[in-house]
Amino acid sequence: MSPAIQSKLPNVGTTIFTVMSSLAAEYKAINLGQGFPDFSMNAELMRLVSEVMQQGHNQYVPMQGYMPLREALAEKANFLYAADINPDTEITITPGGTYAIYTAFTTILQPGDEVIVFEPAYDSYIPNIEINGAIAVRIPLSFPDYSINWASVRLGITPRTKAIIINSPHNPTGAVLSEDDIEQLRTIVQDTNIFIISDEVYEHLIFDGIEHQSILRYPDLLQRSFVCFSFGKVYNCTGWKLGYCIAPGVLMKEFRKVHQFNCFCCHTPSQVALATFVKEKDAYLSLSVSMQERRDYFSKLIANTRFDLLTSHGSYFICAKYNRISEETDKDFSIRLTKEAGVATIPVSAFYKNADDHKVIRFCFAKKKETLEQAAERLIKI
Ligand code: PMP
Ligand code: GLN
């Protein structure tokens, strides 16, 4: 018999993305649940990766990441956000954005520390905090636009507040932070020792002509920040699980202490290929247009159903109310929709501790037109 484990995450089950994707596979449903594109990634990037493998780039790169890639990312941060980032000391390549966020939390948190988290929150944040013995202080975003109520944030701050995690564009809602939000954040953190973890994995998936308010634009805020990115979201290759973190040298030094004994370094061929491909500005600048087209196409199709879409200004996602269709909880409704209508979605209560049930589900529209059309045909019937 195996010895019993005293669970470090007693309140956690299997992530909703795995649950819904398994159900979608079992019932052969169209999967608009878990966030991943069903269209092909960039052909040139694929070609580059296989080329560099053939050339022999198959052994470890330095623990911090392949230097030419870090240099290219520092140039990109300068081009986009006028940020002055030292590629040697301020960027680390990680196996995905989720890992970068986890490592940032593990770097700064001590048992009993508090972290301000906005709900709905991406489902890894709170387990990341709790596994470090820290406490998530949950602040609800205002329904239905999911904006931040900064007065509530001020009330949530205590002497034990160690960090605030922000996410723009936001998963699951597609809400984005404005310049005013950044100003409010600045007012709250100035003259404190509060860190910021900024989840910017959807930086290029931002619509309606809105400018992404990266923390990299604000040198004073960057001094206290870990800014996390994902190549999977930029190049439509979520399965690559490659990302990076940018933070000031003193913070990055500690981040690397955690990272070096966790994965040490990441997949070499992808980094070597990306060192070249990151310089292709069109590849990332065109993303907001192509993804906005998918959002608009899906919205047009859904207009013929009894779902009421909420506003999404970014990410892969758009949320919808279904209260004209059913009184069920969002979880029950999502499961029934998968089994009976053949369309998998994500119940938004999965992003809340105390399942705030506004009867809202999340659709992923990062799909081929045909996939969206087939899903809409099924959704019209219910
Ligand atoms: N943050 C958010 C909000 C996300 O939706 C994702 C996508 N999975 C990530 C972080 C991390 O992405 P990955 O680890 O796949 O690079
Ligand atoms: N980020 C994706 C989503 O929100 C999936 C990530 C995952 O499966 N862990 O759907």
Side-chain angles (χ1 to χ4, degrees), residues 15 17 33-35 122 171 202 233 317 351 362:
T15 163
F17 306 119
Q34 193 178 19
Y122 185 56
N171 179 3
Y202 298 106
K233 300 290 148 58
F317 310 113
F351 300 85
R362 186 195 83 176

Side-chain angles (χ1 to χ4, degrees), residues 34-40 232 236-238 291 316 364 366-368:
Q34 193 178 19
F36 62 87
D38 71 344
F39 45 88
S40 181
N236 296 316
C237 53
T238 60
M291 207 55 83
Y316 279 164
C364 173
K367 304 289 172 190
K368 292 185 226 159

Side-chain angles (χ1 to χ4, degrees), residues 17 35 94-101 121-125 167 169-172 199-202 228-233 237-244 315-317 351 362:
F17 306 119
T94 62
T98 314
Y99 173 105
I101 294 163
Y122 185 56
D123 74 340
S124 68
Y125 299 163
N167 172 214
H170 184 251
N171 179 3
D199 178 348
E200 304 190 11
V201 302
Y202 298 106
C228 302
F229 299 91
S230 168
F231 291 110
K233 300 290 148 58
C237 53
T238 60
W240 279 25
K241 292 300 296 187
L242 200 65
Y244 57 104
S315 80
Y316 279 164
F317 310 113
F351 300 85
R362 186 195 83 176

